[in-house]
Structures are given as C-alpha cells and as structure tokens.
C-alpha cells in the first residue's frame, strides 16, 4: 500500500500496472495477489484510510463539539491538509470512479458517509435545521459534500484559484456557513471567515 501511495504521487492510476507496484514494493506477484485481487483493491484500501481520516477531521462539526462556524473552518482546513497529504490517492479515485464499477461503488459509498453525517448534523442543528427543513437537509448535505470533493480535487491538481490553500479554505467555509446559517449566526472577524 505504501508503494502504491508513493507511485501515485508521480503517476496517474490508469498508467500504473501491478508490475509497477510489485517493483516499487519489492514483493512477488504471488504475495501481491495473496492480499489484493487487483490494483483497484489496493486503491480501495488507500481511499478507505483517507476517508477515515476525513471523517475524523469533520468530527468537531458533526459531533457538535465547537461552535458551528469554528468547527466547519477547522474541518475544511483539516480536509485541505488531508487532500494535500493524500493527493495521489484521492485524485486517483476521483479520476477513476466513473470508469470502474467497483471504484464507483466504493467512492459513492465513501462520499455517502460524509453526506449522512452532514445530514444528521444539519437536522439536529438549532440554526440550520429550521432554516432548511427536513426535506432539503439531505440534498443540501450532498451538494456541499460533492462541492467540497470537487474543490479539494482542483486544489490537489493545482488549478487556480484553489491552488491557494487560503482561498480554498475561505471559499468552502463561506459556502457551508452561508448556506447552512445565512445571517442567523454571529459574524466572525474577517480573518476567521
């Protein structure tokens, strides 16, 4: 898994072969296939690891441990760091899930974890819940989750203006807070927005 992670820092997943992974890891073909049926399975495990870290990053907001705006900004900031550290892996899944049914199922399942957590948080939030109502909470949660996925991907791909981490964090934080809270939450000083 470590060898694949390193290879994905320099190579696109679709250009990567099992032989490349074997060479980089210094393992035999039999050893590889004992643990993994395919390179997609290796990517799947790497993606699950990264998503677990992402869920941990979101906990201050989803678990209502801090005020919502501070928690959202912290989660977005940790998400940006997570994508930076796992850029090859996360870019690989985003670029591959549309062409491989197993990776499609995996990515939709993983993204749904974020959507479900956000939906539960929105519905229980005394400000966002009434603002959106129960019928719109899931759609809004899914929209914000997928918007985050796309902007983190653009940042990892060094696409301006999101290659500037501060712009990325400010944009995502503003999107989440304005949609969920509008003017119903106290204004943060400009530096923390």
């Amino acid at each position: 898994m470590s060898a694949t992670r390193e290879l994905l820092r320099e190579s696109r997943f679709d250009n990567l072969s099992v032989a490349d992974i074997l060479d980089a890891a210094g393992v035999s073909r039999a050893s590889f296939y004992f643990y993994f049926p395919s390179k997609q399975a290796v990517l799947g495990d790497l993606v699950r690891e990264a998503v677990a870290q992402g869920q941990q990053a979101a906990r201050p907001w989803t678990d209502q441990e801090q005020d919502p705006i501070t928690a959202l900004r912290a989660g977005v900031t940790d998400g940006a760091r997570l994508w930076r550290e796992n850029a090859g892996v996360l870019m690989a899944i985003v670029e591959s899930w549309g062409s491989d049914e197993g990776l499609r199922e995996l990515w939709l399942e993983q993204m749904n974890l974020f959507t479900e957590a956000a939906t539960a948080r929105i519905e229980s939030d005394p400000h966002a819940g009434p603002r959106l109502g129960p019928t719109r909470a899931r759609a809004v949660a899914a929209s914000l989750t997928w918007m985050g996925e796309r902007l983190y991907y653009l940042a990892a791909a060094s696409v301006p203006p999101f290659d500037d981490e501060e712009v990325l964090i400010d944009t995502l934080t503003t999107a989440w807070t304005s949609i969920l809270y509008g003017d119903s939450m106290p204004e943060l000083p400009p530096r923390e927005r």
Side-chain angles (χ1 to χ4, degrees):
M1 286 178 55
S2 295
T4 304
R5 180 183 286 110
E6 288 304 313
L7 288 168
L8 288 171
R9 292 182 195 277
E10 304 297 324
S11 302
R12 289 177 49 103
F13 182 71
D14 56 354
N15 294 333
L16 195 63
S17 69
V18 170
D20 295 328
I21 297 169
L22 298 178
D23 288 344
V27 297
S28 70
R29 188 169 290 277
S31 293
F32 176 89
Y33 284 111
F34 180 78
Y35 293 102
F36 300 103
S38 65
K39 70 177 189 175
Q40 288 82 0
V42 178
L43 178 60
D45 281 358
L46 290 169
V47 166
R48 285 183 196 91
E49 270 185 14
V51 167
Q53 293 172 35
Q55 290 176 295
Q56 191 63 31
R59 289 190 76 116
W61 182 69
T62 59
D63 291 353
Q64 302 182 34
E65 295 173 1
Q66 302 172 347
D67 77 86
I69 294 176
T70 300
L72 279 168
R73 184 167 188 82
V76 167
T77 301
D78 284 347
R81 176 196 46 79
L82 174 72
W83 267 79
R84 187 176 356 96
E85 292 172 358
N86 294 279
V89 169
L90 294 170
M91 289 178 73
I93 189 68
V94 171
E95 293 166 357
S96 301
W97 73 276
S99 60
D100 181 280
E101 188 58 36
L103 293 177
R104 174 185 170 79
E105 287 178 27
L106 168 74
W107 194 231
L108 290 174
E109 175 186 292
Q110 298 304 300
M111 291 299 290
N112 192 50
L113 294 172
F114 289 108
T115 297
E116 291 300 324
T119 301
R121 174 62 169 93
I122 290 167
E123 290 176 343
S124 68
D125 189 289
H127 298 285
R131 177 179 167 83
L132 297 175
T135 57
R136 292 183 20 207
R138 180 161 172 66
V140 168
S143 298
L144 290 168
T145 298
W146 284 102
M147 177 187 61
E149 183 251 24
R150 182 52 38 173
L151 295 187
Y152 286 133
Y153 173 83
L154 292 172
S158 300
V159 175
F162 304 110
D163 57 338
D164 180 329
E165 194 166 286
E166 189 173 320
V167 170
L168 171 69
I169 292 166
D170 287 347
T171 301
L172 281 173
T173 301
T174 299
W176 278 78
T177 58
S178 64
I179 289 170
L180 296 180
Y181 303 111
D183 295 330
S184 66
M185 295 297 291
E187 187 77 17
L188 286 177
R191 185 89 172 122
E192 296 183 27
R193 244 186 242 155

